[in-house]
Amino acid sequence: MKKESRGIQSIEVGGELLRALARCGEPMMLRDLAREAGMTPAKAHPYLASFSRIGLIEQDETTGRYEIGALALELGLISLRRLSGVRIAQPKIAALASQIGHAVSLAVWGTHGPTVVQLEEPGQPVHIVMRAGSVMALLETATGRAFAAFLPEKTINAALESGLDRQGVGYNPKRPVKGKVAEMLTEVRKHGLARALGDPLPGVNAFAAPVFDHAGHVALVITAMGPEGTFDARWDSPIAHALRDCAGGISKRLGHGMTVAAE
């Protein structure tokens, strides 16, 4: 029988606060966070103070609510980047950004929805509200639409019903009605790309392409974006072709489309 290693109980107790914050997925007041973690506010507060000092959590000075901090986000991104698909895609999207002369991002389906894990910018950066760690709105952004079009319908419906993407970049409470959404996602599947034209980011066009794994599941989404004046957003533009080729190449590396010959 394997002997259990000795640990530090206070760290394990405080860890319940981090788990509670992760389960909730949004900023929380001290009393609510403590209750969710099964302790009193007086007991929870010293843990939160220590976690704040090292960056695991942070407290909004205006609302007093606690949320995941910079260190926790960095650790999460490191974990995401270790996925084989992300490692394979990183140099590919850097090359794509250089080829097309526009910014390119790489996103995975994370706990809170479409999550950017890498952003490659050309010599002249585009002023966009996006960085590694940003969560993109599901139906309003090209990145989100690429996931929405190719992930299982039940996954997307559950995400929308739970309000998963309401804090995402580009979220619009006056989103398209259901019929319009279905039409939009059909267009994405038809072209193999999602497209956004100056909306939700004014003056910025974008294409997003899904990357599939060996089982045919969406593993990643690659998004190219740039100023309306220089970003050719035609479905058959050189940018669109380059993005499709890049996504297709990574999908092939992940085993998509490969068949095993019968013996």
Side-chain angles (χ1 to χ4, degrees), residues 97-98 100-104 120-126 225:
S98 178
I100 65 176
H102 291 291
V104 179
E120 293 288 339
E121 296 187 81
Q124 296 180 336
V126 181
M225 67 211 88

Side-chain angles (χ1 to χ4, degrees), residues 8-222:
I8 301 175
Q9 187 177 16
S10 62
I11 292 179
E12 295 173 9
V13 172
E16 291 301 320
L17 291 162
L18 298 176
R19 291 192 185 96
L21 200 55
R23 284 196 302 270
C24 181
E26 60 184 29
M28 301 176 70
M29 296 297 292
L30 171 60
R31 62 178 182 275
D32 299 323
L33 181 53
R35 182 180 65 249
E36 184 69 21
M39 62 182 75
T40 64
K43 182 178 180 180
H45 188 266
Y47 288 105
L48 296 174
S50 293
F51 289 153
S52 294
R53 291 191 188 105
I54 62 175
L56 280 174
I57 65 165
E58 58 186 43
Q59 185 180 25
D60 188 292
E61 295 181 359
T62 303
T63 66
R65 294 178 182 272
Y66 291 92
E67 60 185 318
I68 295 297
L71 176 58
L73 290 172
E74 184 176 351
L75 291 172
L77 287 171
I78 290 172
S79 178
L80 289 172
R81 289 188 182 116
R82 291 187 63 190
L83 297 172
S84 61
V86 174
R87 290 202 304 271
I88 290 171
Q90 283 178 325
K92 302 294 186 183
I93 72 163
L96 177 62
S98 178
Q99 176 187 350
I100 65 176
H102 291 291
V104 179
S105 70
L106 180 66
V108 300
W109 183 259
T111 304
H112 301 295
T115 305
V116 176
V117 294
Q118 184 177 351
L119 177 64
E120 293 288 339
E121 296 187 81
Q124 296 180 336
V126 181
H127 296 291
I128 50 177
V129 188
M130 180 192 292
R131 58 181 175 78
S134 292
V135 176
M136 308 305 291
L138 192 53
L139 298 180
E140 290 80 5
T141 64
T143 302
R145 290 169 187 167
F147 277 111
F150 294 102
L151 279 174
E153 187 176 358
K154 63 180 181 180
T155 299
I156 299 305
N157 288 339
L160 295 174
E161 289 170 6
S162 66
L164 186 68
D165 71 329
R166 289 177 185 168
Q167 302 301 317
V169 174
Y171 172 70
N172 178 7
K174 297 180 179 179
R175 65 187 354 157
V177 296
K178 191 171 183 180
K180 291 287 187 179
V181 169
E183 181 180 330
M184 176 180 67
L185 297 184
T186 296
E187 181 181 55
V188 174
R189 298 184 190 104
K190 173 185 175 182
H191 294 284
L193 292 175
R195 183 172 68 175
L197 303 175
D199 183 25
L201 302 176
V204 176
N205 288 341
F207 276 129
V211 171
F212 299 97
D213 63 17
H214 68 283
H217 301 144
V218 181
L220 310 163
V221 165
I222 301 171

